Amino acid sequence: MAIRQLTPTPRAVDWGLFAAVAALLATGVATIFAGIPSSAWIIDLHALSGVVLTLLLPVKLRRVAHRVAPSRLTGARVLSVVLAAVALGALGTGVWWIFGGTLDLGPWGLFHLHVALGLLVPPLLLVHLRARFYSPRQAIRGGRRDVLRYAGLVTAGALLWRVQGPVNDALDSAGADRRYTGSREEGTDDGNRFPVTSWVADDPDPVDAADWSLSVAGRVAQETSYAAGELSPDATESAILDCTSGWYSGHEWQGVRVGDLLDAADPDDAAAWVQFRSVTGYRWSLPLSEARDAVLATHVDGERLAHGHGYPLRLVAPGRRGFQWVKWVESVRVSKRRELGEWLAIFVSGL
């Protein structure tokens, strides 16, 4: 009876679940770009939404459990069962990851499974709502009581999220060594011995430095091309590579300061973006002012970059997530506007 008094009304629970899933999807996508500490609130909101979903889902399942008896199953209810299973899977893998869990799925792991299940929930939920949509007005019939119940729910969620840190520390689990992004440390200060990952299918054959060159072109007064031997790797940058696959690794990178290349090329007054293009066609752009401080690395912790890490040149962009650190760079192009096509290129390069 006490639990029932603390539980929002059925329609408020339904819309609370929808809001939690929407927040998880939005913040989950946003975490891909959250590379600096000031964006940590995005990861916290993602985790808080997950805890709220964890607290609401059992309430919903308890209310509808009697409908899943074999004699009462319909197509819509089977879909609902699948939705519940996928949602529980996404939550379970997320909690498992937080507390240091691992899972070997070949080229993928536990974190990838969590992301895949999480991305399945929204489309399943939208199909589910086609048969069970209720007006949002019904969600506010509980009035002030539901507001207070949800305030308590969010507070409980925030407390549970904060408790996981001390619990991980007490258990000395792998989850205790996570960065604010949720990523775990691997291979810091150990040269090329950190994970080799590629975004989607970006995986070219090894680059022959004798046949390779770097071009600097676009809105510049002097377009230039450099052979491998003409680049002087005299710039250093200590930076953390934080990959969206769930790991991070800190290193001292050595190479060519992008600002030096731009000064030699002399960008015109309209220049605003600098695009870095890989031999695979993969590309990403940085604002001109940010690009000047970036480094095109040839070495990591004193070792020449391995092929898997982007030899002969890899972009080092502090504060950006790993997929924005373009590997196998062959072109630096200055432009007035950012190329929208690069959003497609990162998914199809290498295919």
Side-chain angles (χ1 to χ4, degrees):
M1 184 67 178
I3 294 178
R4 183 175 299 178
Q5 291 177 344
L6 296 174
T7 302
T9 56
R11 297 297 166 253
V13 169
D14 293 343
W15 278 100
L17 288 168
F18 179 84
V21 170
L24 283 167
L25 178 62
T27 54
V29 172
T31 59
I32 297 175
F33 303 94
I36 56 176
S38 61
S39 59
W41 65 271
I42 297 173
I43 287 85
D44 287 338
L45 181 57
H46 184 74
L48 178 58
S49 301
V51 175
V52 170
L53 183 63
T54 302
L55 295 174
L56 285 176
L57 198 54
V59 176
K60 171 73 172 182
L61 295 179
R62 181 175 180 273
R63 194 179 85 222
V64 301
H66 66 282
R67 300 177 186 170
V68 298
S71 60
R72 303 190 64 182
L73 283 179
T74 62
R77 287 175 180 171
V78 169
L79 176 65
S80 300
V81 171
V82 172
L83 171 60
V86 172
L88 288 171
L91 290 171
T93 51
V95 172
W96 191 8
W97 174 263
I98 287 172
F99 287 99
T102 59
L103 186 64
D104 185 3
L105 297 172
W108 300 282
L110 178 61
F111 188 82
H112 299 91
L113 179 60
H114 168 67
V115 173
L117 291 172
L119 291 174
L120 273 177
V121 171
L124 289 173
L125 178 60
L126 290 176
V127 176
H128 170 78
L129 289 175
R130 290 181 60 188
R132 301 186 180 278
F133 179 81
Y134 298 97
S135 170
R137 293 182 179 179
Q138 297 184 38
I140 60 176
R141 289 181 177 177
R144 186 176 64 179
R145 289 186 179 182
D146 272 349
V147 173
L148 293 175
R149 288 164 179 160
Y150 265 108
L153 195 67
V154 172
T155 301
L159 291 174
L160 285 173
W161 170 236
R162 289 304 176 189
V163 164
Q164 58 82 26
V167 171
N168 266 314
D169 291 338
L171 296 175
D172 194 24
S173 70
D177 193 25
R178 289 180 298 116
R179 199 167 180 244
Y180 72 90
T181 56
S183 298
R184 301 177 191 165
E185 187 278 325
E186 289 196 41
T188 292
D189 296 328
D190 198 17
N192 283 290
R193 287 161 290 282
F194 60 96
V196 175
T197 58
S198 292
W199 184 263
V200 189
D202 209 42
D203 185 23
D205 293 331
V207 177
D208 185 349
D211 297 329
W212 171 91
S213 64
L214 173 70
S215 67
V216 182
R219 300 197 69 113
V220 296
Q222 183 66 46
E223 294 193 353
T224 314
S225 180
Y226 299 88
E230 295 176 318
L231 295 172
S232 300
D234 52 8
T236 59
E237 183 74 41
S238 294
I240 292 175
L241 172 58
D242 194 331
C243 183
T244 52
S245 293
W247 56 268
Y248 75 90
S249 196
H251 301 275
E252 182 173 276
W253 308 86
Q254 181 180 355
V256 181
R257 185 74 60 182
V258 175
D260 294 339
L261 296 175
L262 295 177
D263 288 341
D266 189 18
D268 65 31
D269 293 339
W273 291 89
V274 181
Q275 183 185 81
F276 302 88
R277 186 183 182 111
S278 168
V279 298
T280 66
Y282 190 106
R283 49 197 181 271
W284 195 261
S285 297
L286 298 177
L288 179 63
S289 58
E290 181 183 351
R292 282 189 170 277
D293 292 329
V295 167
L296 288 172
T298 58
H299 293 72
V300 56
D301 298 329
E303 298 179 4
R304 194 187 78 171
L305 276 178
H307 165 66
H309 293 312
Y311 175 82
L313 283 183
R314 176 185 195 146
L315 177 64
V316 174
R320 297 278 181 163
R321 297 305 293 272
F323 78 95
Q324 296 165 309
W325 290 36
V326 182
K327 296 193 284 189
W328 312 293
V329 176
E330 68 172 4
S331 169
V332 175
R333 187 166 189 84
V334 181
S335 62
K336 181 178 180 179
R337 296 181 180 85
R338 186 176 187 180
E339 180 199 343
L340 296 179
E342 64 189 25
W343 288 93
L344 175 61
I346 63 174
F347 290 101
V348 300
S349 63
L351 292 178

